[in-house]
Amino acid sequence: MIAATVITGSVAKQLNLGSTVALLVTGMALGPNSPWPLLTGHVEVLQSVGEIGVILLLFLVGLDTQPQKLSSMRRLVFGLGTAQYLLTTAAIAGLLMAVASLHWQSAVIVALGLAMSSDAVAIASLQEHAESASPRGQAVMAVMIYQSFMAIPVLAVIPVLASSPLQAPIPTVLKTLEVCAAIADVYLFARYALPQALALAARKHNMEGFTLIVFAAIFAAAWVMDIVGLSNALGAFMVGMILSTCMFADQIKASVSSI
């Protein structure tokens, strides 16, 4: 798999296509849906490894996105993010109804999923072209953040669309409270407990412990978000954004980037 990735990456670089194209082509060529599949017995394991890469990538993006900067992006998040998702969903649903003759409920369910973007493709492409801080990069990040928060409402509305009016479940506030509690837990941990643990490791000159604390915090936040149904990368992004203002931001970035 690594050898094939290196070869396709070299070819894509010569063609100025970017590494993302090489990774996609390698996955399609070696995956279980290709005519000559090689990776058939451990697909779920490889997908988990890919999720780890996305989590670390979003953490690094969060380190470069300070809270003040995110606050200034609120119009992009709720303006551009809402417009992108709703218009894309409407366009896909309309196309499916016109071409595939799907019922409108089925078309909307499919469109809600297809309107979601891939963090791995979008963020990796921005970093590869050094556009994370550009206006285009901010717009992409705003859309990604909005879609992360839309995951719960989408999961809640799908059973309603799939059921008949008599069978539709009555929405409760329990799921909303779980999401709010998870976000609050991640924030409080990254804002108060984590900097103290990093300062203790730094005072003892324990760089191995420093790195382990950072990685444990990243994956713990991702796990908490995954439990409540949000994107696990959102937890990593939150931790990175909160740590971007602490005195150890440069050391943290160096530790994660070296892996």
Side-chain angles (χ1 to χ4, degrees):
M1 180 183 64
I2 295 175
T5 302
V6 171
I7 294 173
T8 54
S10 301
V11 174
K13 185 176 181 180
Q14 294 296 325
L15 299 175
N16 294 321
L17 295 178
S19 60
T20 302
V21 174
L23 294 172
L24 290 173
V25 170
T26 303
M28 289 187 292
L30 301 182
N33 297 317
S34 67
W36 302 281
L38 294 179
L39 305 175
T40 57
H42 306 281
V43 175
E44 294 183 358
V45 176
L46 293 174
Q47 289 175 342
S48 299
V49 174
E51 290 181 1
I52 292 174
V54 174
I55 289 171
L56 296 178
L57 178 62
L58 265 293
F59 174 76
L60 290 175
V61 172
L63 278 177
D64 294 328
T65 308
Q66 296 186 355
Q68 296 85 351
K69 183 178 179 181
L70 183 61
S71 177
S72 65
M73 293 171 55
R74 59 184 180 274
R75 290 187 178 181
L76 279 176
V77 173
F78 296 104
L80 177 63
T82 303
Q84 182 275 334
Y85 190 67
L86 293 182
L87 291 177
T88 304
T89 301
I92 295 175
L95 181 64
L96 291 174
M97 292 171 61
V99 176
S101 300
L102 290 181
H103 195 269
W104 73 268
Q105 287 98 330
S106 301
V108 170
I109 291 175
V110 175
L112 287 172
L114 294 179
M116 291 284 182
S117 306
S118 170
D119 295 344
V121 174
I123 303 302
S125 179
L126 287 177
Q127 289 200 335
E128 184 176 356
H129 295 88
E131 292 186 349
S132 298
S134 65
R136 180 186 301 177
Q138 291 184 350
V140 171
M141 282 303 305
V143 171
M144 293 297 171
I145 293 171
Y146 179 84
Q147 291 183 1
S148 296
F149 284 107
M150 279 297 296
I152 288 298
V154 168
L155 292 176
V157 77
I158 285 178
V160 177
L161 293 173
S163 305
S164 64
L166 296 177
Q167 296 175 338
I170 301 176
T172 64
V173 299
L174 179 59
K175 195 64 178 180
T176 303
L177 293 177
E178 289 180 354
V179 172
C180 293
I183 294 175
D185 289 342
V186 171
Y187 173 80
L188 293 174
F189 172 73
R191 179 66 178 84
Y192 299 104
L194 184 55
Q196 296 296 326
L198 294 175
L200 178 62
R203 284 197 300 267
K204 294 183 177 295
H205 303 285
N206 186 356
M207 296 311 299
E208 293 80 6
F210 185 93
T211 304
L212 288 175
I213 291 172
V214 172
F215 277 90
I218 294 172
F219 292 115
W223 176 68
V224 169
M225 290 299 184
D226 187 67
I227 286 180
V228 298
L230 291 176
S231 170
N232 48 24
L234 178 62
F237 177 81
M238 283 185 59
V239 173
M241 183 184 64
I242 296 171
L243 291 180
S244 65
T245 58
C246 78
M247 65 177 67
F248 303 110
D250 293 334
Q251 294 92 321
I252 293 171
K253 188 173 184 178
S255 299
V256 177
S257 299
S258 63
I259 301 300

